[in-house]
Amino acid sequence: MLVRFWGTRGSLPVAPTAMAIRHKIANALVAADGRRFENSADAERFVDRELSFAAGSHYGGATSCVELEAGNGSYFICDMGSGLRSFGLDSMRRNAAGHKKTYNFFLSHLHWDHIMGFPFFAPSFDPEATIRIHAAHPDAEQALRRQQEEISFPVPFDWLRANIEFEQLTPGKSHEVDGVRIETKLQQHSHDSYGYRFTDADGRAVIYSTDSEHKLDKMDVEAAFIEFFRNADLVVFDTMYSLAESVSMKEDWGHSSNMVAVDLCHEAGAKKLALFHHEPTYEDEDIQRMHEESIRYEELTREGSPLEVICSYDGLEVRV
C-alpha cells in the first residue's frame, strides 16, 4: 500500500505568513555562511542535506485528507478536508492516463474541517466518475448537502454530475470494498468519530485514527484500541496536543497526544506511527520539536521491537 498525505492540519486550514517565510530565508542564508551555489539544484541539495525540515520546508496547512493506494485500482480516501482539492486535481491527471474513476471515501466524522474540501472536489462534476461515501454516521449525506446550500456555497449539491452513493457502515463489522477489508471503531469525540483499519490482500494494515480522545482512567476502552491497532504496518494518529495539554486545559476537546500515540502503538506492536492532525497555531518549529520529543519518548519507553515515528506533512508519501 502507498499512503499519500494531502492534508495534515486540524481544525482549520492555515498558511505560512510573510514573516514566517522571511524568517526561514534569513536562517537559511545564515546557515549557508556565504557559500555560492551553481544553480537551483545545487541550492536544493544544501536545503535537503544541511537544513532541518522545519528550516527548509513546511509541514503544510491543508486539513485532513489521506489517500491509500490499495485494492483493485479504485481510489481510497480518508476524510474530505481542504487537502481534497489538491488530491482531486491530481486524480484527474491520473484518470487521463487510464486510472479507474471510482472514489471510495471514508469519513471519520462530519465536522467542517473534515468535509470542507468536497465542494471543491473537481471529479464530482465528472459524469463518468463514481463517488462512494462510506460513513458510520447516518447523517453524512445531510452534512454534505447542508454545506452546499445557497446560504453557504454557490453550487448546490444537486448540480454535481458524478454518480454519488452513500454507504452506511456498521461499527465493529468488517466490510469488503474493492479488494480491501475495512473495519471501523467508535472514538471519543463530539458527535462521535470513527477510526478505520484497512487491510489489503497481502495482509498489510493501515490505521486511520484521528479526532479521538484517549482517557487515562478508561483503560478498558484503551485495551480495545490496542487490539484495533494490533500489528498494524502504519498508524496515522491524532497528535494535536502535548500530553500536558490533553489532560489539563484541553481535556474533553476530543483530541490526543504524541505520548499516548507512542504508548498505544508500543502495546499493539505497530511498526510505524505517523503524527497527524497538527495544531493550527503551531509553527513548523513547534511541530518538529514535537516530532523529536516523540522519537526520544519512543526510545525511552521501548521494550520490544522499535516503533518508527514519522511526522506527516502535506505531500508526504509512505509505502507499507
Side-chain angles (χ1 to χ4, degrees), residues 6 67 75 77 83-91 94 121:
W6 295 96
E67 175 195 0
Y75 292 107
I77 312 100
L84 181 61
R85 180 181 180 274
S86 295
F87 162 73
L89 295 174
D90 187 77
S91 73
R94 286 183 259 168
F121 183 53

Side-chain angles (χ1 to χ4, degrees), residues 68-88:
L68 280 72
E69 196 173 280
N72 62 8
S74 301
Y75 292 107
F76 289 80
I77 312 100
C78 296
D79 280 336
M80 302 173 166
S82 63
L84 181 61
R85 180 181 180 274
S86 295
F87 162 73

Side-chain angles (χ1 to χ4, degrees), residues 28-29 56 85 150 163 171 219 232 255 262 274 282 299 320:
L29 289 172
R85 180 181 180 274
E150 187 177 9
N163 175 32
M219 296 313 296
H255 298 284
V262 170
Y282 282 3
E299 293 171 345
V320 298

Side-chain angles (χ1 to χ4, degrees), residues 214-268:
H214 295 269
K215 299 280 191 178
L216 297 177
D217 58 348
K218 294 184 178 180
M219 296 313 296
D220 57 330
V221 176
E222 297 314 300
F225 272 96
I226 291 169
E227 288 308 310
F228 191 63
F229 292 0
R230 181 69 66 191
N231 297 325
D233 294 278
L234 173 66
V235 176
V236 180
F237 194 96
D238 177 345
T239 56
M240 193 167 185
Y241 303 135
S242 68
L243 181 61
E245 289 174 321
S246 68
V247 299
S248 57
M249 58 184 176
K250 294 182 179 178
E251 185 177 10
D252 297 322
W253 284 28
H255 298 284
S256 192
S257 74
N258 54 331
M259 304 305 183
V260 169
V262 170
D263 287 344
L264 288 175
C265 287
H266 269 165
E267 291 292 328

Side-chain angles (χ1 to χ4, degrees), residues 107 134 169 182-184 194-198 206-208 228:
L107 301 184
H134 305 264
L169 297 177
I182 294 100
E183 300 163 79
T184 61
Y194 292 88
Y196 291 95
R197 183 183 179 104
F198 300 88
V206 171
I207 301 290
Y208 180 78
F228 191 63

Side-chain angles (χ1 to χ4, degrees), residues 9 15-28 54-58 282-285:
R9 288 278 177 168
T17 63
M19 187 61 68
I21 294 173
R22 183 171 178 267
H23 179 71
K24 285 179 183 287
I25 294 172
N27 284 343
S57 193
H58 180 46
Y282 282 3
E283 300 290 345
D284 288 323
E285 290 81 2

